[in-house]
Amino acid sequence: MTPASSLTAALGLSALRGASLAEVDAAAALQHRIDRKYLIPLDEARAFVRLLADSHHVLDLAGRRTTNYLSTYFDTRQLAAWRAHVQGRRRRWKVRTRLYAEDGLCRVEVKTKDGRGSTVKHALNVPAVGYGELSARAAEFVNGVLEVSGIPITARELAPAAEVRYVRAALADLDHRTRVTLDWALTCHHGERTAALDAAQVLVETKGGIRPAPADRLLLRLGGRPVSLSKYVIGQSLLTPGLPDNDVRRLARTHFTTGVPPVPLFERTSAA
């Protein structure tokens, strides 16, 4: 059984109403949003999904209810993006290429924080062969976003710094225009080193407005607590020797193991 099919079964995703990508994007694209993250046990994640069944749809892509994500993050030689995050700077940013493995789709994404702490995401579709690199067109896009955001970094200063892989299920409350994602089988890769999230844990993210969504209140009732957890930052913290210790690394050591072999790449799966 692949990680994707395992997550579909473990979360009971087949029992939810499906929604197309167009329906989810129309109701809850949320390029400007507040993200809240939670690490919860897999069995609690299943209960959480079951309790959302009346209000949320699951993204269904021709019968497939999960997607394997590969994200290559770019940073400067001095790891300026990583340092901005761990130091809690107001002007934080990330640049990555993201591949949706089963669909062969790729995007260049730039994420920044605005003055109120909201995440602002900008994206450019590129050919799948462009995954893991910044072409001239991609570099122009990155430069434009960073300049407008007041971040004094250019694409010329960036190089691939780490890769993150995981399986994602996406739920959407089409009435309240909020989304929930559940990520599992999460691994971080840097050179020959790998770190993996405990397979008994699921990373849940709610994406909405300033006020917590009903899904956030439900997570709190289930015992979840928001955590500051960036996949890229955790990967660098665990896998790059010589970085200063920090709260992110201490959180990661509780839930991640290092030195495991890379997970196999993915097969196309569908919901039962």
Side-chain angles (χ1 to χ4, degrees):
M1 184 177 290
T2 66
S5 58
S6 296
L7 185 62
T8 297
L11 296 181
L13 296 176
S14 299
L16 271 67
R17 295 168 294 170
S20 69
L21 180 60
E23 290 174 313
V24 171
D25 280 348
L30 298 174
Q31 299 298 84
H32 192 141
R33 69 206 188 203
I34 297 290
D35 295 338
R36 298 176 177 88
K37 301 180 182 181
Y38 307 79
L39 272 176
I40 64 174
L42 185 58
D43 57 347
E44 290 184 13
R46 182 181 179 90
F48 173 62
V49 169
R50 186 175 65 252
L51 292 169
L52 290 180
D54 290 338
S55 58
H56 286 64
H57 293 66
V58 61
L59 175 62
D60 187 296
L61 300 165
R64 193 185 76 245
R65 297 193 163 190
T66 59
T67 298
N68 287 285
Y69 282 55
L70 287 78
S71 298
T72 293
Y73 289 82
F74 296 78
D75 211 335
T76 67
R77 186 186 300 271
Q78 296 77 25
L79 299 181
W82 181 89
R83 295 181 188 280
H85 186 100
V86 299
Q87 294 170 2
R89 297 179 192 169
R90 288 183 60 194
R91 294 191 182 277
R92 300 202 295 271
W93 56 277
K94 289 176 190 159
V95 174
R96 68 189 178 204
T97 57
R98 168 166 285 177
L99 180 67
Y100 302 82
E102 292 90 343
D103 305 301
L105 301 177
C106 186
R107 303 201 308 179
V108 178
E109 298 181 345
V110 184
K111 294 176 71 174
T112 61
K113 290 282 188 181
D114 68 10
R116 296 176 298 174
S118 297
T119 298
V120 184
K121 185 165 73 172
H122 305 263
L124 173 72
N125 292 331
V126 297
V129 294
Y131 171 71
E133 62 185 39
L134 294 178
S135 66
R137 177 168 170 252
E140 181 180 6
F141 167 75
V142 170
N143 287 338
V145 175
L146 293 179
E147 181 179 5
V148 168
S149 302
I151 297 167
I153 299 292
T154 66
R156 181 175 294 181
E157 301 172 71
L158 303 178
E163 183 182 61
V164 176
R165 305 176 187 174
Y166 52 93
V167 184
R168 168 168 287 184
L171 311 182
D173 184 335
L174 303 184
D175 295 326
H176 291 91
R177 305 178 67 83
T178 60
R179 286 196 290 127
V180 177
T181 59
L182 300 102
D183 298 338
W184 185 67
L186 172 64
T187 59
C188 307
H189 307 265
H190 181 87
E192 298 299 318
R193 298 180 294 277
T194 300
L197 176 64
D198 182 350
Q201 298 287 319
V202 177
L203 176 59
V204 180
E205 297 185 38
T206 64
K207 307 168 191 292
I210 295 175
R211 292 183 177 181
D216 292 287
R217 295 192 287 272
L218 178 56
L219 283 163
L220 292 174
R221 290 202 300 272
L222 290 172
R225 293 293 180 268
V227 295
S228 177
L229 192 159
S230 159
K231 302 179 185 75
Y232 166 62
V233 170
I234 276 191
Q236 284 288 11
S237 297
L238 287 175
L239 300 176
T240 301
L243 291 179
D245 207 354
N246 54 73
D247 291 339
V248 172
R249 183 183 290 177
R250 286 189 284 274
L251 171 67
R253 284 172 175 164
T254 305
H255 299 288
F256 282 72
T257 57
T258 57
V260 299
V263 295
L265 288 178
F266 315 110
E267 299 176 25
R268 185 180 180 89
T269 59
S270 60

